[in-house]
Structures are given as structure tokens and as C-alpha cells.
């Protein structure tokens, strides 16, 4: 019993570390993007101020039970994804609850928050909410398709659905990473990664001209704070999945920090270099380029 409480304590500590790392890393990436556009950018600690401000605000507006549960589902997806995959390979305490789930559970959590968000926004009372939800779900679904096929290819390659065993199979050197043993699956997954990170050219759903039909307008006060919290946890959690499946995992926190930052930097680099796609262009891009690469990776096994 004591050991289980220790596991819970370490899992909560992992969540605390990832949240703070996400807050700082997101600010640094935003600042780098601003400098690329010849702007100064936000202060590194600005995300902490915004998060605290929204958490202390209260609202009397309500649109139904699902309106409350939408941000909760969104945050649950990010936290669940993080806690059911190992953070540090080879450490029993930093493995979180990965022994209780596998890749299928991780894939479920990846999409769980998006569906909850769609249901919540649909009950917000905004007349164009259904339009915003359909556009967002279309893009996210098309981005997750090459990633899902790539995950199946990895599972077939290593003959396991255990994330820990997949990381173990990549130990022994950089050339043992899935990046080199199945480059087509990794290339397809990275295209899906760009779409799921909601940065340019795949950020039109959250772009300023689309905000009136998006969650940042429909949700406010503490509800918006929950979304902001997830926005700092979920990207890191998803990068942990990519790191474990394709880039050999991390055996220590410094390695974890470097790999997560470099993978996040990939999406930031693409974001400052390319203009936005329309939603239909994004869907077409993933179906034309991402899915065929994933299928080749499936036959590569």
C-alpha cells in the first residue's frame, strides 16, 4: 500500500514538472517565433501570470453540464496521456502508471480531449459553434490518421503494444531508434505531429480570424484556465509518446528536457517558415502525403 502511494506521489510530481516545463518552454518558443518576425515577444513568465489570472476569475454564465465538462475532458486527455506512458526509461518511480495501459490507451487519450472539447463547445450557445467544431475535428482527425498507422507499424515491428518494451528495443545506440529502423513510419508520424501541435501551417482553427467560433471566446475565466493548463501539458505529453516510440526514449531528466525541446522546436521552425493552410488544404495534405508514407512504413516492417 505504501508503495502505491509513493507511485501516486511521483506521478503528481511528474505532472508538476511537466506543467512548469511546458509553461516555460511554450513561452521560449513563442519568443523565438516573435524574434523571427522581428518582434520582442512575451516575457518568459507571462504564461504564469495569464494562468493565475484566469484561475481566480469566476463566471455566472452557463450553457449546460457539457459546457462545464468540455475543458475537464480536454485536460483529462492531456493528463491521462502523460500518466499512462513512462516518462523516464529504466526508472520504476518515473514510469508513472504505464504498467496499467498500452499504446491503444495512449491513442485513446490523444483523441479523448478533442471529442470532449467538441461536445462542450457544441453546448456553448454560440450560433457558429458547430461550424468551428466540425472544422477542428476534420483537421485533427486527418492529422491523427498517419500517426495511428505509424503506431501500428511500430507495434508490428517490435511485436508489442507496451511502450516500455518498445523503448527497450531501441536501446544500444542511436541507430537502433525507430527513426533509423523504420524512417517512413517516423516521417508520417512527424507530419501528423505538425498538425496536432496546432501551429502554422495547421493553426487556422485557432488563428485570430477564426477565434469568434473557437473555444478561447466560448470559454472564459477558470474554464479558459483549464484549457491553458492543458495547452502546456498536452504538447509535452504527446512529445513524450513520440520520443518513446521513435527516438529511443529518455533515461534521465536532462535527456528528457533536451529531446522534448528539440521535437517541439521542429513544429516551431515549420510554423515560422510556412503560411497557414485552409482546413481543406490541411486535410488534403495529410491524406496525400502523410497516409501514403505511413502505409509504406507499415509494409517496411
Amino acid at each position: 500500500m505504501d508503495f502505491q502511494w509513493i507511485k501516486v506521489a511521483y506521478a503528481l510530481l511528474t505532472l508538476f514538472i511537466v506543467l512548469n516545463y511546458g509553461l516555460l518552454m511554450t513561452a521560449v518558443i513563442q519568443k523565438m517565433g516573435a524574434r523571427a518576425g522581428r518582434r520582442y515577444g512575451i516575457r518568459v513568465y507571462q504564461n504564469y501570470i495569464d494562468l493565475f489570472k484566469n484561475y481566480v476569475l469566476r463566471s455566472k454564465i452557463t450553457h449546460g453540464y457539457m459546457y462545464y465538462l468540455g475543458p475537464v475532458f480536454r485536460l483529462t486527455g492531456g493528463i491521462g496521456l502523460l500518466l499512462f506512458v513512462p516518462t523516464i526509461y529504466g526508472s520504476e518511480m518515473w514510469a508513472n502508471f504505464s504498467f496499467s495501459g498500452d499504446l491503444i490507451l495512449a491513442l485513446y487519450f490523444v483523441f479523448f480531449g478533442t471529442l470532449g472539447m467538441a461536445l462542450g463547445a457544441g453546448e456553448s450557445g454560440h450560433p457558429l459553434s458547430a461550424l468551428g467544431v466540425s472544422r477542428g475535428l476534420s483537421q485533427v482527425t486527418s492529422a491523427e490518421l498517419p500517426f495511428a498507422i505509424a503506431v501500428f507499424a511500430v507495434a508490428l515491428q517490435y511485436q508489442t503494444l507496451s511502450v516500455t518494451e518498445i523503448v527497450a528495443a531501441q536501446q544500444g545506440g542511436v541507430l537502433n531508434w525507430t527513426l533509423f529502423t523504420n524512417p517512413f513510419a517516423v516521417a508520417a508520424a512527424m507530419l501528423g505531429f505538425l498538425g496536432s501541435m496546432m501551429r502554422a501551417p495547421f493553426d487556422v482553427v485557432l488563428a485570430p480570424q477564426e477565434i469568434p467560433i473557437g473555444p478561447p471566446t466560448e470559454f472564459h475565466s477558470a474554464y479558459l484556465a483549464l484549457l491553458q493548463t492543458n495547452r502546456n501539458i498536452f504538447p509535452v505529453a504527446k512529445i513524450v509518446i513520440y520520443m518513446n516510440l521513435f527516438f529511443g526514449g529518455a533515461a534521465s531528466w536532462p535527456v528528457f528536457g533536451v529531446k522534448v525541446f528539440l521535437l517541439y522546436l521542429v513544429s516551431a521552425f515549420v510554423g515560422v517558415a510556412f503560411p497557414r493552410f485552409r482546413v481543406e488544404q490541411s486535410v488534403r495534405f495529410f491524406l496525400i502525403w502523410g497516409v501514403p508514407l505511413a502505409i509504406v512504413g507499415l509494409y517496411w516492417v
Side-chain angles (χ1 to χ4, degrees):
M1 182 64 69
D2 291 339
F3 178 75
Q4 293 299 325
W5 281 111
I6 293 174
K7 292 283 290 185
V8 172
Y10 271 88
L12 293 177
L13 182 57
T14 300
L15 184 61
F16 177 78
I17 294 173
V18 167
L19 173 59
N20 284 275
Y21 185 64
L23 286 167
L24 294 173
M25 182 177 64
T26 302
V28 170
I29 293 295
Q30 287 178 316
K31 201 171 186 67
M32 293 172 64
R35 291 298 177 90
R38 297 184 179 181
R39 293 176 285 111
Y40 183 76
I42 66 172
R43 293 166 291 185
V44 175
Y45 54 86
Q46 184 64 48
N47 287 337
Y48 286 93
I49 298 175
D50 295 339
L51 193 62
F52 178 77
K53 177 194 68 177
N54 285 325
Y55 266 121
V56 299
L57 292 176
R58 292 295 180 266
S59 173
K60 295 182 179 180
I61 299 176
T62 177
H63 299 288
Y65 293 110
M66 200 62 226
Y67 176 79
Y68 292 110
L69 292 176
V72 176
F73 280 18
R74 185 65 170 167
L75 182 59
T76 301
I79 294 177
L81 180 61
L82 177 65
L83 294 185
F84 283 96
V85 295
T87 306
I88 303 298
Y89 171 73
S91 173
E92 188 174 2
M93 293 305 176
W94 300 113
N96 303 323
F97 304 112
S98 57
F99 56 87
S100 299
D102 54 18
L103 268 178
I104 302 301
L105 181 65
L107 289 177
Y108 177 78
F109 273 117
V110 167
F111 211 70
F112 179 80
T114 304
L115 294 177
M117 197 68 250
L119 293 173
E123 201 170 340
S124 66
H126 198 288
L128 297 179
S129 176
L131 177 62
V133 166
S134 63
R135 288 161 63 86
L137 286 178
S138 298
Q139 180 170 301
V140 171
T141 303
S142 60
E144 295 296 340
L145 185 58
F147 171 64
I149 299 175
V151 167
F152 295 150
V154 171
L156 288 174
Q157 177 177 343
Y158 297 114
Q159 293 296 301
T160 181
L161 288 172
S162 169
V163 179
T164 302
E165 293 180 8
I166 291 175
V167 178
Q170 299 177 69
Q171 302 307 302
V174 175
L175 295 180
N176 291 330
W177 293 1
T178 312
L179 173 64
F180 297 102
T181 58
N182 196 338
F184 290 100
V186 176
M190 289 305 295
L191 291 181
F193 171 76
L194 295 177
S196 65
M197 294 298 282
M198 287 294 179
R199 301 186 68 90
F202 307 108
D203 65 338
V204 69
V205 178
L206 295 177
Q209 63 266 32
E210 299 286 338
I211 287 299
I213 58 174
T217 294
E218 296 168 0
F219 292 98
H220 44 273
S221 63
Y223 307 122
L224 183 59
L226 289 176
L227 297 179
Q228 289 176 308
T229 302
N230 182 75
R231 190 174 292 181
N232 293 286
I233 293 177
F234 184 73
V236 179
K238 188 155 190 178
I239 291 173
V240 172
I241 281 284
Y242 274 79
M243 179 181 67
N244 286 330
L245 295 182
F246 308 120
F247 300 98
S252 64
W253 280 108
V255 175
F256 172 91
V258 171
K259 285 189 176 182
V260 168
F261 180 78
L262 291 178
L263 286 172
Y264 204 118
L265 197 60
V266 171
S267 65
F269 178 79
V270 174
V272 300
F274 292 92
R276 292 188 180 104
F277 284 161
R278 298 192 302 272
V279 174
E280 66 273 14
Q281 291 175 321
S282 299
V283 172
R284 191 181 306 118
F285 175 85
F286 292 120
L287 294 180
I288 291 177
W289 297 104
V291 172
L293 277 174
I295 294 175
V296 173
L298 197 60
Y299 281 96
W300 183 275
V301 177

